[in-house]
Amino acid sequence: MSFDLISLIGSMASIVGISARDFFNKSDKNSIKTYITFLEKKKVLYAEIDRENRDAVIKSIEAIKQETERLRAGSRDKALHKLLGNLVLVMGKVLEDIWSFDQSTRQGQMKMFLSLQKLRTEMARTLAILCEGYGIHPSSTELQALIVNMATVRPHNK
């Protein structure tokens, strides 16, 4: 059932004017599959906020950002470049925000939570488009749930 939902969400989602209907270079399919497999192991995308530690979150987001930049650099597809470039920008902003929060205060914890939600939402929307565009679906139920639950959320922007 979640594959059908992921496909439905992916077919409707659009980020920076890019959607699953745009042509994606099928030669990138194996790289996208490797990227999704990499993300399945990143608990920062789905762990409960109470279990998150700022330094571990930063380290994990930096690893995801680096892998996203590597994937982007290895592709010649303009739509994929634009989609992943947007994701890299969001991760950069989220990292900047999380670095500035004092996790020992309730306000800092809330701001970290909101930043993580922004990242998770943008990641879910991007993954929905990639999954539909390349015909790949995550095997991890946690990543499937992230896409189904977060891809349609519109985070509040300041």
Side-chain angles (χ1 to χ4, degrees):
M1 171 115 169
S2 20
F3 290 127
D4 293 337
L5 284 173
I6 291 170
S7 292
L8 176 64
I9 293 165
S11 67
M12 295 184 315
S14 175
I15 300 173
V16 294
I18 304 297
S19 70
R21 290 180 297 275
D22 289 298
F23 177 76
F24 287 111
N25 185 340
K26 298 303 179 186
S27 67
D28 291 325
K29 187 171 182 169
N30 286 334
S31 297
I32 298 297
K33 193 173 201 170
T34 300
Y35 180 68
I36 291 171
T37 301
F38 167 80
L39 293 175
E40 289 176 331
K41 299 174 185 112
K42 295 300 178 187
K43 293 181 181 172
V44 72
L45 297 175
Y46 55 82
E48 295 175 28
I49 191 67
D50 295 354
R51 299 185 186 219
E52 295 291 8
N53 170 283
R54 187 183 83 164
D55 294 338
V57 165
I58 289 169
K59 183 178 177 182
S60 192
I61 294 171
E62 286 174 341
I64 294 169
K65 185 175 180 260
Q66 183 178 17
E67 189 66 16
T68 304
E69 289 169 336
R70 185 199 61 73
L71 175 61
R72 185 173 184 244
S75 174
R76 292 185 182 141
D77 188 290
K78 289 180 183 181
L80 184 59
H81 268 254
K82 192 172 182 181
L83 187 68
L84 295 178
N86 179 70
L87 187 57
V88 167
L89 289 174
V90 169
M91 284 188 273
K93 175 68 173 128
V94 167
L95 282 167
E96 182 181 305
D97 289 347
I98 292 175
W99 268 113
S100 70
F101 301 146
D102 179 1
Q103 78 176 42
S104 66
T105 68
R106 188 74 179 136
Q107 184 180 18
Q109 291 169 353
M110 180 57 78
K111 287 181 178 182
M112 186 173 103
F113 169 77
L114 292 173
S115 289
L116 271 177
Q117 288 301 88
K118 182 176 183 171
L119 170 67
R120 290 171 177 180
T121 300
E122 200 64 27
M123 181 62 75
R125 292 174 64 219
T126 301
L127 286 173
I129 291 169
L130 291 176
C131 287
E132 179 63 12
Y134 287 98
I136 301 169
H137 294 286
S139 59
S140 156
T141 56
E142 291 89 0
L143 206 57
Q144 290 174 21
L146 171 80
I147 295 168
V148 170
N149 295 328
M150 297 297 294
T152 57
V153 172
R154 297 284 185 214
H156 174 68
N157 293 325
K158 295 181 188 179

